[in-house]
Amino acid sequence: MAQIQSPLPGTFYRASAPDKPPFKADGDAVAVGDVIGLIEVMKSFHEVRSEVAGANIRFVADNEEPVMAGAVLAEVD
């Protein structure tokens, strides 16, 4: 099982805005380069892209959860 980790410390968001659907939902397929979420650092948003491909993504970090650099955001089968 591959892991997608946070590249930066900050707040993890699964969607681009509160009224928008998440970039990926649990159980979705993911390809290399897919955006799976955003990390917000001091009002600046950075896309988190998958470096692995798989048929099933499972999020470990919750939406709007503070995370540290290297924290596991999701696992991919």
Side-chain angles (χ1 to χ4, degrees):
M1 182 173 297
Q3 296 179 332
I4 301 172
Q5 298 176 327
S6 176
L8 302 163
T11 303
F12 177 62
Y13 294 95
R14 290 182 55 185
S16 60
D19 60 339
K20 300 289 183 192
F23 292 105
K24 293 287 181 182
D26 283 329
D28 284 355
V30 64
V32 173
D34 282 357
V35 175
I36 64 130
L38 301 172
I39 299 289
E40 182 263 324
V41 181
M42 297 178 62
K43 305 297 182 200
S44 181
F45 290 86
H46 304 271
E47 291 181 338
V48 178
R49 294 184 178 271
S50 178
E51 296 179 359
V52 297
N56 180 25
I57 189 169
R58 184 180 68 81
F59 285 90
V60 177
D62 291 327
N63 188 47
E64 300 181 11
E65 179 179 343
V67 295
M68 296 302 295
V72 176
L73 301 176
E75 296 176 335
V76 179
D77 290 335

